[in-house]
Amino acid sequence: MESSSLTSTIDFLRRHAPFDRMDETHIEYLAKRLEVRFYARGEVVMEPTDGVAGRFHIIRQGRVRGGEGSGEMAESEAWELVSGECFPIGALLTRRPVRFTTRAVEDSLCFELSREEFHKLLQMSDEFHDFCTRRMASLLDNAYKDIQARSVSRVSSNQSLDTPIRSMVPRSPISVQADTSLESVLTTMNREKIGSMVVCDADNRPTGLFTLHDVVGRVVLPRLDLATPIAEVANAEFVKLTPESPAFDAVVALARHGADHLCVVDAQGKLVGVLSERDLFSLQRIGLVSLNRS
């Protein structure tokens, strides 16, 4: 990018959040890696069939509109973004396809950053990371309040997302030691019809979490030997909450981490149970997808 163009891009970014709070070195890093793309009025910017979201967009000029489906959208389903706003943060954070089709409302210019550079910037800049995670949590918070208000007449109090999660744990937890073979773990999960397995130490404190969603990426594609100890493939970074935590805290935590299971632990950090997205929403018949869509 030429010097004059780079300066112009940085000046533009500095006028909008979160770039106005970011360090100069991080702004320059971002600006040097941005590409400019033109979208004609009505042109699709992104849609669910594109696969895992691959680009972070910052609107330089114009407007984009998103909503369900690829055709005409009802006003209640649609949203619009204008110059200085960015998308699709949720899909990039959780490495999934976008939920909605997004089109240019008018001739528009977008700055675009690759998924790989987006995640590098998340690690580099605390301000950028904070903006992305807080924005996602805020959207969920607003969605929850709206859903709760509309559902109050048909959902009993013991089904509320204010309910402590201890009452939602479906069964006693099943766990294994770190040296348990992958084959044994998968056999147990299949027999017990559970979607996750917790790895615990000798004091029953969770040290890792392995879910069915990990099977493809961590076992099948790498062609991993089934004799491999589960500790080598279990995720050491997982969500943990206390039994007294409200269900809504579990919703936000799962969304922030792009997870579908969490561990419930007592004050000493010992495993009490495992809670899944399905457990959280089976009573109200809504899921994280519904919350994000709302």
Side-chain angles (χ1 to χ4, degrees):
M1 186 178 290
E2 297 181 359
S3 178
S4 59
S5 178
L6 179 63
T7 300
S8 174
T9 299
I10 292 175
D11 288 343
F12 171 79
L13 293 173
R14 282 296 186 194
R15 297 198 295 271
H16 304 282
F19 316 110
D20 56 344
R21 301 191 304 275
M22 290 169 58
D23 291 344
E24 192 68 34
T25 54
H26 298 153
I27 284 289
E28 186 172 340
Y29 177 91
L30 169 62
K32 286 181 176 179
R33 288 158 178 81
L34 290 175
E35 298 177 5
V36 181
R37 179 169 175 180
F38 170 77
Y39 293 94
R41 178 181 179 182
E43 184 178 353
V44 172
V45 180
M46 59 177 58
E47 56 188 341
T49 55
D50 292 337
V52 176
R55 312 285 286 179
F56 175 63
H57 296 69
I58 306 169
I59 303 174
R60 176 66 177 86
Q61 178 181 317
R63 289 183 298 148
V64 302
R65 193 179 203 221
E68 295 196 66
S70 57
E72 292 297 319
M73 298 168 292
E75 288 299 323
S76 61
E77 298 174 332
W79 42 263
E80 287 191 2
L81 299 176
V82 297
S83 178
E85 296 189 279
C86 46
F87 64 98
I89 292 175
L92 287 167
L93 284 176
T94 55
R95 301 177 188 271
R96 59 163 172 79
V98 295
R99 306 293 192 194
F100 314 108
T101 295
T102 302
R103 295 176 183 271
V105 178
E106 57 192 48
D107 289 352
S108 302
L109 286 175
C110 285
F111 287 129
E112 298 184 358
L113 185 71
S114 71
R115 177 175 62 240
E116 292 74 18
E117 293 294 350
F118 170 83
H119 284 281
K120 287 180 182 178
L121 190 61
L122 279 178
Q123 298 299 318
M124 292 170 55
S125 172
D126 290 339
E127 292 80 10
F128 185 63
H129 184 277
D130 184 63
F131 171 82
C132 290
T133 53
R134 284 179 181 271
R135 177 170 174 175
M136 192 171 181
S138 177
L139 289 172
L140 281 168
D141 190 23
N142 290 336
Y144 163 66
K145 289 175 181 177
D146 178 60
I147 289 172
Q148 188 183 50
R150 287 187 282 109
S151 303
V152 68
S153 62
R154 61 182 176 83
V155 179
S156 61
S157 60
N158 67 339
Q159 295 174 327
S160 168
L161 290 181
D162 292 325
T163 303
I165 60 176
R166 65 171 176 270
S167 64
M168 308 179 90
V169 175
R171 60 184 294 173
S172 298
I174 299 175
S175 63
V176 295
Q177 297 292 305
D179 59 355
T180 305
S181 72
L182 185 55
E183 181 176 14
S184 176
V185 168
L186 292 173
T187 299
T188 301
M189 291 173 68
N190 182 62
R191 183 182 66 246
E192 299 294 332
K193 295 181 172 55
I194 54 177
S196 65
M197 181 64 76
V198 184
V199 182
C200 288
D201 61 19
D203 295 320
N204 199 36
R205 292 186 175 89
T207 60
L209 182 64
F210 179 79
T211 73
L212 288 178
H213 287 176
D214 296 323
V215 173
V216 173
R218 300 192 176 200
V219 179
V220 177
L221 293 180
R223 299 183 179 180
L224 207 62
D225 190 331
L226 291 182
T228 303
I230 187 62
E232 293 187 17
V233 293
N235 192 342
E237 296 182 2
F238 54 93
V239 181
K240 290 186 289 187
L241 291 176
T242 63
E244 292 72 31
S245 301
F248 179 63
D249 284 358
V251 172
V252 174
L254 290 179
R256 281 178 172 170
H257 291 80
D260 55 12
H261 287 77
L262 62 83
C263 290
V264 183
V265 297
D266 62 19
Q268 288 72 45
K270 295 185 178 182
L271 184 65
V272 174
V274 178
L275 200 62
S276 71
E277 176 189 345
R278 179 180 297 180
D279 298 326
L280 281 167
F281 294 104
S282 60
L283 294 178
Q284 292 184 319
R285 298 180 181 177
I286 54 176
L288 289 180
V289 172
S290 300
L291 277 176
N292 281 318
R293 180 176 298 137
S294 296

